[in-house]
Amino acid sequence: MDSKNLLKIARLYYEVGLTQEQIAQQEKVSRATISRALDSAVKQGIVEIKIRYPLNSVEYLEEKITKKYGLKKVFVVPVIVPYPEIIKKDVGRALFRFLAQIVKNDDIIGISWGMTMAAVAEQLEKVERTGIKIVQLNGGIGKSCFATNASAILEAFTNAFSAVPYSLPVPTIVDSPEIVNVISSDSRIRDTLELAKNSRITIYGIGKASTNSILFKSGYFTAEEYKELLNKGAVGDICSRYFNIRGEICDKYLDSRTIGISLNLLKEKEYAIALAVGEDKAKSIIGALQGGYLNCLFTDEITANAILHYQEEDPR
């Protein structure tokens, strides 16, 4: 069916309000033909479907986590459809709404990369501010062909805030502390790291320590190296720095080979905003909370319940 007839059927259905059966009778075709035409109209972009809904929060879970960890802000999105991509989308919407409230002119905003951050980037809209700088918090170049999406995330934040971007076009983990020192002494890298240090707002995901992580898939570890890291108690990472359930850096040598903001500097931020989705990240989030590496948490109700439930079983 040509685009003119697809448009006609779409308008009769979505704008006039005729049923598929009524359109079929009017156009002298089968109802199945109308159904296929409507499906085709969506796929071809003739029809765009948007689901509008209020983004409420689960307040009693927010209150429990806020009180337990003394956080500045907790937002727990309700899980209406239990699919990770949809949950990440809602978390991203909630974060954007919060950012629109707190970002001031001339702010420096530090961002990391990762799958949750990529989902957040898709939810950003234009915000009228001036003089904003967006700075990458940790190196974003993988050692394999697996993409970190660091540049795309930086670009999305830059466009949303009409900002000046500052990237870290280097590996996040290198072979030795000496290489870190050499790379960090480059004037451009040094300036970017200094901006990250001076940022008022930082935004980052909490990664789970597993072979499904971007860091592993990006080629930063062999299977044996990652197994050793897990044996040292690693439960998660923030900005490529690994910590245990008590929030302690679990491999100091590895940490000394990591390029980017230190976890201790995150404790100094006015807004240290962490995002995490998925009940399998409960231990990772608890480690980050016990390390004091965030004062704002954006998550979902399934994950929030998992955090609280895990603490009941293991109060360390």
Side-chain angles (χ1 to χ4, degrees):
M1 187 175 292
D2 62 33
S3 59
K4 182 178 179 180
N5 282 321
L6 285 180
L7 178 59
K8 178 182 180 180
I9 290 169
R11 298 197 72 172
L12 287 171
Y13 184 74
Y14 289 104
E15 294 182 350
V16 178
L18 299 183
T19 66
Q20 292 186 28
E21 186 61 39
Q22 288 171 326
I23 300 171
Q25 291 176 2
Q26 178 177 307
E27 298 300 308
K28 296 181 173 53
V29 295
S30 69
R31 185 180 178 280
T33 298
I34 299 302
S35 179
R36 287 194 296 270
L38 291 170
D39 183 58
S40 182
V42 172
K43 290 178 179 177
Q44 292 184 33
I46 294 171
V47 173
E48 184 177 293
I49 298 174
K50 289 187 177 181
I51 302 173
R52 300 187 183 279
Y53 55 96
L55 190 59
N56 300 318
S57 63
V58 186
E59 292 184 0
Y60 79 96
L61 290 175
E62 292 173 350
E63 291 170 1
K64 284 186 176 182
I65 294 174
T66 300
K67 183 177 180 180
K68 188 174 189 65
Y69 293 102
L71 301 181
K72 178 179 292 187
K73 171 75 174 179
V74 176
F75 195 100
V76 177
V77 302
V79 176
I80 299 168
V81 181
Y83 285 84
E85 294 312 309
I86 292 179
I87 296 171
K88 287 177 186 177
K89 178 180 178 180
D90 286 347
V91 169
R93 280 184 61 204
L95 174 63
F96 169 73
R97 192 167 66 183
F98 183 58
L99 287 177
Q101 296 171 1
I102 66 171
V103 172
K104 303 175 183 178
N105 292 340
D106 301 315
D107 259 338
I108 302 173
I109 304 172
I111 63 170
S112 71
W113 42 264
M115 289 180 282
T116 305
M117 286 295 294
V120 169
E122 293 176 358
Q123 302 307 311
L124 298 176
E125 299 175 19
K126 204 73 175 175
V127 179
E128 295 300 324
R129 299 288 189 278
T130 60
I132 304 295
K133 296 181 177 70
I134 306 292
V135 57
Q136 214 173 294
L137 294 173
N138 55 320
I141 296 178
K143 294 181 72 174
S144 73
C145 60
F146 190 87
T148 64
N149 291 319
S151 60
I153 295 167
L154 180 64
E155 182 179 3
F157 274 86
T158 299
N159 292 337
F161 291 95
S162 301
V164 178
Y166 293 84
S167 65
L168 271 178
V170 296
T172 192
I173 299 172
V174 293
D175 290 340
S176 71
E178 290 75 21
I179 295 175
V180 172
N181 292 334
V182 170
I183 291 175
S184 300
S185 66
D186 175 84
S187 60
R188 182 167 177 263
I189 302 301
R190 184 177 65 246
D191 290 347
T192 300
L193 291 172
E194 188 66 19
L195 282 171
K197 180 181 178 181
N198 294 328
S199 56
R200 186 176 76 94
I201 300 169
T202 52
I203 309 162
Y204 40 87
I206 299 175
K208 176 187 175 184
S210 80
T211 52
N212 287 323
S213 73
I214 287 183
L215 283 169
F216 181 78
K217 290 182 177 180
S218 294
Y220 283 110
F221 302 91
T222 66
E224 189 60 37
E225 287 170 339
Y226 210 80
K227 182 179 178 182
E228 183 179 346
L229 182 63
L230 295 175
N231 287 339
K232 290 180 178 178
V235 296
D237 81 279
I238 290 174
C239 297
S240 310
R241 298 185 185 274
Y242 282 89
F243 50 83
N244 60 27
I245 191 66
R246 295 179 296 281
E248 303 161 341
I249 294 295
C250 58
D251 188 325
K252 291 184 178 179
Y253 182 65
L254 172 63
D255 196 63
S256 71
R257 297 191 287 116
T258 304
I259 299 175
I261 195 167
S262 72
L263 295 187
N264 281 334
L265 282 176
L266 295 179
K267 298 178 181 181
E268 302 174 6
K269 301 303 175 185
E270 184 174 345
Y271 291 98
I273 306 170
L275 309 125
V277 170
E279 59 184 322
D280 61 327
K281 285 191 175 182
K283 289 174 67 174
S284 310
I285 299 167
I286 291 165
L289 287 166
Q290 297 197 139
Y293 304 134
L294 61 145
N295 55 35
C296 302
L297 175 65
F298 283 71
T299 189
D300 64 275
E301 66 175 311
I302 294 175
T303 306
N305 273 310
I307 294 168
L308 295 168
H309 178 70
Y310 182 87
Q311 283 299 103
E312 290 170 6
E313 292 181 346
D314 188 346
R316 285 183 295 173

